[in-house]
Amino acid sequence: GDGTTSGGDGDGDGDSDGDTGGGETTMIRVMHLGVGVPEVDVFANMTEPAAVTDLDYRVGTGYLELPPADYTFQVALAGGTPADAAIEAGPLTLDAGVKYTATAIGALDDANLEILPLIDADTDVPAGNLRLQVVHAAPAVGQVDIWEVTDPDNPAALLEDVDYKASGSLDVPPAVYNLGIDVDDDAMPDLTFTADLSGVPEGTFINLFANNDAMGGVALVAQLPDATVLVIDPN
């Protein structure tokens, strides 16, 4: 379940300068957030072998380096073939010099699995900051607001009216953040999470997913540039 990748360098070093070899290549990684979905293989353009094998739930890969082109991606249960794909996405145009995350989201039981493509806009992060791309990837939860509640007397709305599959970016300094998710639009967080980002280097790009498990419980899932994934349970 380590999400082995093939092709490119796949080292997942996630250099934050966005340099992908003079703009002649594109880079893409895969994140598995499909609720109730076992390990999967990921194929590009129906080509064997799989670009990614045995990718487990809430696990991500490093970046694969590919020629810029239109790609169709197939996600199949591990050990299958592209013809057994549970979901397919594309064609997606992958542009030169751009980084992407292809995220498997939805729930197997609800038959709403799909691939959500994200652009990892990791360049031009202001000095002294890191960049959070906050993504609503919890199919069991409706529209939400994201709050910063470290000071309970002065809560601050970070992102409002975020629909399922929507995202927004925040540039914030490395620190410990108490984040709240409000699911009923009453300006009172229903769940709070403590995200210790104090040791994250400046300039780092992080995908921060709100994702529910098969029991409906919501966690924050942080995807770092080096393929590390951190699951932050509610307080």
Side-chain angles (χ1 to χ4, degrees):
D2 60 359
T4 304
T5 60
S6 63
D9 56 15
D11 60 6
D13 59 8
D15 296 333
S16 61
D17 59 6
D19 183 2
T20 56
E24 297 177 355
T25 62
T26 186
M27 299 180 78
I28 187 167
R29 59 183 175 172
V30 181
M31 182 71 186
H32 180 352
L33 294 177
V35 179
V37 181
E39 292 182 353
V40 297
D41 298 336
V42 181
F43 299 84
N45 294 336
M46 302 286 285
T47 301
E48 301 270 7
V52 177
T53 59
D54 300 328
L55 186 65
D56 210 348
Y57 176 58
R58 290 183 176 169
V59 175
T61 72
Y63 284 100
L64 300 171
E65 194 167 340
L66 299 172
D70 291 341
Y71 289 88
T72 299
F73 293 94
Q74 296 80 26
V75 178
L77 299 184
T81 68
D84 300 324
I87 50 176
E88 182 173 278
L92 304 175
T93 300
L94 304 186
D95 294 322
V98 180
K99 293 177 180 175
Y100 300 86
T101 298
T103 312
I105 64 170
L108 184 63
D109 289 346
D110 295 333
N112 63 352
L113 291 173
E114 59 184 300
I115 298 176
L116 177 66
L118 301 167
I119 293 177
D120 295 344
D122 62 354
T123 59
D124 301 320
V125 178
N129 285 265
L130 50 86
R131 179 165 293 162
L132 301 178
Q133 180 166 237
V134 182
V135 186
H136 185 342
V141 180
Q143 189 180 80
V144 300
D145 300 327
I146 310 294
W147 289 76
E148 211 291 305
V149 292
T150 300
D151 181 355
D153 295 327
N154 294 286
L158 298 178
L159 297 170
E160 296 185 271
D161 301 329
V162 182
D163 291 316
Y164 177 55
K165 299 190 289 186
S167 62
S169 292
L170 302 166
D171 293 333
V172 296
V176 177
Y177 291 95
N178 287 310
L179 303 176
I181 295 181
D182 175 16
V183 301
D184 51 12
D185 206 26
D186 63 355
M188 295 288 292
D190 300 281
L191 294 171
T192 62
F193 303 82
T194 300
D196 186 354
L197 306 178
S198 59
V200 177
E202 297 176 7
T204 299
F205 177 91
I206 300 172
N207 276 326
L208 187 64
F209 300 95
N211 177 237
N212 65 269
D213 59 24
M215 303 300 293
V218 176
L220 296 181
V221 181
Q223 181 187 29
L224 305 182
D226 65 356
T228 299
V229 173
L230 303 176
V231 178
I232 305 168
D233 291 316
N235 296 326

